[in-house]
Amino acid sequence: QTLSAYGQLPLYFEPNEGQTDPNVSFISQGVGYTLFLTPHEAVLVLGGNSPPTKPGSPRGKILKFTPPPPVQLSVLRMKLVGANLNPSTEGLEKLPGISNYFIGNKPALWHTHIPQYAKVRVPGVYPGIDLVYYGNQRQLEYDFVAKPGADPRAIRWSYEGAQKAEVNTAGELVLNTSGKSVVFKAPVLYQEQGGVKQLVNGR
């Protein structure tokens, strides 16, 4: 029940304040995955977060501890090609929750009151183009926001860690890595004019 409820929580991003590698700007964690965001790439680690063992056992019986089987992790790196070498990152839409990390019994290793954000923005990844990460129904999504006159042909991703890549009949990009599949939904392109979204063809 706890894991089920946790899985319903909205996706959020927390700034790196010492709880992970210094190259990481923001981190997002959920059931079965961890996402690390840097100014130049997104690193998705699949696996881990195994469900707890089933509680309850007859009284008076000796319990034998069985260690859980090792968890195989899959790492998918998504890098921006030819992007700005020194972009910044910023959290948008601050959420009411906070994150706390208590490591060992040394307060110097603790990291507390870390804010949580609904979105992360990387401005100017390409000339006139911003990148915004956010969650939608517990799924990670991202937008490239192109200002008037910007060239969307500059946008390019490279993927590392996938053994196979294909575009399915729905126009979705499917990356297979270590027996797991990561699906990138077909892109939705639109232009706003007078507050009205007008769809643009693309794939």
Side-chain angles (χ1 to χ4, degrees):
Q1 290 178 345
T2 302
L3 280 179
S4 177
Y6 179 62
Q8 300 303 316
L9 295 175
L11 190 71
Y12 65 86
F13 304 88
E14 58 186 51
N16 180 17
E17 297 186 0
Q19 69 270 35
T20 189
D21 186 279
N23 292 318
V24 174
S25 301
F26 283 83
I27 184 173
S28 179
Q29 301 182 73
V31 178
Y33 79 90
T34 303
L35 176 71
F36 301 95
L37 297 180
T38 79
H40 305 101
E41 67 177 342
V43 181
L44 182 63
V45 180
L46 303 173
N49 298 326
S50 300
T53 57
K54 186 176 181 180
S57 61
R59 287 189 177 183
K61 290 194 175 183
I62 298 176
L63 298 180
K64 182 180 178 181
F65 173 72
T66 302
V71 177
Q72 183 179 10
L73 299 179
S74 300
V75 180
L76 180 64
R77 308 180 78 96
M78 302 172 286
K79 295 185 178 182
L80 291 168
V81 179
N84 177 11
L85 296 178
N86 297 296
S88 59
T89 55
E90 59 181 340
L92 302 178
E93 300 181 14
K94 187 176 180 180
L95 300 173
I98 59 172
S99 298
N100 297 298
Y101 294 82
F102 299 98
I103 303 173
N105 57 3
K106 296 181 179 180
L109 299 177
W110 297 353
H111 305 283
T112 61
H113 295 88
I114 299 174
Q116 299 175 355
Y117 296 91
K119 298 180 179 181
V120 172
R121 176 173 172 261
V122 189
V125 288
Y126 296 103
I129 299 175
D130 298 343
L131 172 59
V132 180
Y133 295 97
Y134 58 96
N136 182 12
Q137 301 295 324
R138 292 294 301 167
Q139 297 185 63
L140 174 69
E141 294 192 4
Y142 55 86
D143 290 346
F144 286 101
V145 183
K147 298 177 182 178
D151 186 0
R153 292 175 296 182
I155 301 171
R156 288 186 296 161
W157 283 114
S158 74
Y159 300 94
E160 297 180 8
Q163 284 76 45
K164 182 180 179 182
E166 59 183 350
V167 177
N168 63 20
T169 56
E172 301 169 330
L173 175 63
V174 182
L175 302 179
N176 295 295
T177 170
S178 300
K180 299 179 176 66
S181 295
V182 178
V183 178
F184 293 80
K185 299 293 185 181
V188 177
L189 296 85
Y190 62 88
Q191 183 177 13
E192 286 192 7
Q193 293 184 344
V196 179
K197 293 182 179 179
Q198 297 183 350
L199 294 180
V200 177
N201 292 326
R203 62 184 178 88

